[in-house]
Amino acid sequence: MKIVVLSGGVGGARFLRGIVDAVDPADVTAIVNVGDDLEVLGLSVSPDLDSVLYALAELADDERGWGRADETWNALVTVEALGGEAWFRLGDRDLGLHLVRTQALRAGDALSTVTARLAAALGLDTTILPATDHALRTWLDTPNGSFDFQHWFVARAHRDPVDRVRFEGAADARPAPGVLEALHETELILVAPSNPYVSIGPILAVERIRSALERRRVPCVAVSPLIGGEAVKGPAAAMLRRLDGGTSAAHVAQCYAGLIDALVIDEADAGDADAVTELGVRPIVTRTLMRDAASRRALAEAAVNAVAVT
Ligand code: GDP
Ligand code: CA
């Protein structure tokens, strides 16, 4: 069965690992957020694409939750000692990938082309596509000013409450080659347990991706990134509270109004199931914490099998 997964970084990458355990990896296409991409030290960095690449290639640092395992930081220590830009943490092994990508982009390759080459070099059978090859960038308006995603998230540790999320360049962004084709050919669309505003939001800000979901002829199943109304990690719950007035599973479902047929929610949120149903979305209650290979796979299977009953 062909499956498309919309994904951010860490939550999305963990979920994708479960998916490629549950189904044939070659049948899976990941459409990945590029709203957090940045240029740092002259290098083009795509954090969410890299999280997905590293996770599927089993190179990721599971404990830290981002970047590569067995990482060292010599280059960054040197940068700092020399008074360079050291707020964004790039490890030595990670830097190698950014060098290769940056050179290819400068030579005129599209991000989707470079990403396909990196995935092939890492031996992956799964198709990994940036949502768009255009520069689509997430900005956060806060009471303390407006920040691009990484300055808000990393440099300011996402402490500033968010009043508005904006996607610069979205109006001109077309889906990357392969994205609409994958959405057209797929038998199932999944939305990973990623942040709805800053991971899935930028993907849906590409108008033709959103309209492909609106007009889908196949089921679309999202997995909630909240457990017991709280994020496993990161600002999702704080954002839901401030931007949409609450953190119930129904609030998550509302982020995807008109786009999903089912929402996988945690047992801790089972009390929200009726409110989800009232929105016309089928709630699937299961354990959603991905702490190891078995739990990742079980969650992936719950999402894939939601189809049978949708
Ligand atoms: P980012 O781009 O690295 O911020 O990653 P994502 O947006 O893809 O993932 C962040 C979201 O993943 C957060 O909102 C977390 O609550 C969610 N998340 C992380 N681990 C888990 C998990 O084990 N289960 C569930 N349900 N959500 C998770
Ligand atoms: Ca991200």
Side-chain angles (χ1 to χ4, degrees), residues 14-15 17-23 289-290 292-305:
R14 279 185 192 151
F15 181 66
R17 277 178 79 181
I19 288 289
V20 300
D21 268 353
V23 304
L289 185 64
M290 299 176 283
D292 53 24
S295 53
R296 284 193 296 262
R297 183 182 170 145
L299 179 59
E301 282 170 349
V304 169
N305 293 331

Side-chain angles (χ1 to χ4, degrees), residues 2-6 27-31 179 182-183 186-191:
K2 287 196 171 163
I3 298 182
V4 165
V5 184
L6 307 192
D27 283 344
V28 179
T29 299
I31 299 177
V179 167
L183 285 168
T186 192
E187 292 155 84
L188 171 66
I189 304 167
L190 299 177
V191 179

Side-chain angles (χ1 to χ4, degrees), residues 167-207:
F167 306 108
E168 206 180 82
D172 300 321
R174 302 282 169 270
V179 167
L180 292 181
E181 292 82 347
L183 285 168
H184 189 70
E185 288 165 13
T186 192
E187 292 155 84
L188 171 66
I189 304 167
L190 299 177
V191 179
S194 294
N195 186 309
Y197 301 101
V198 293
S199 291
I200 305 300
I203 302 175
L204 298 174
V206 179
E207 188 47 45

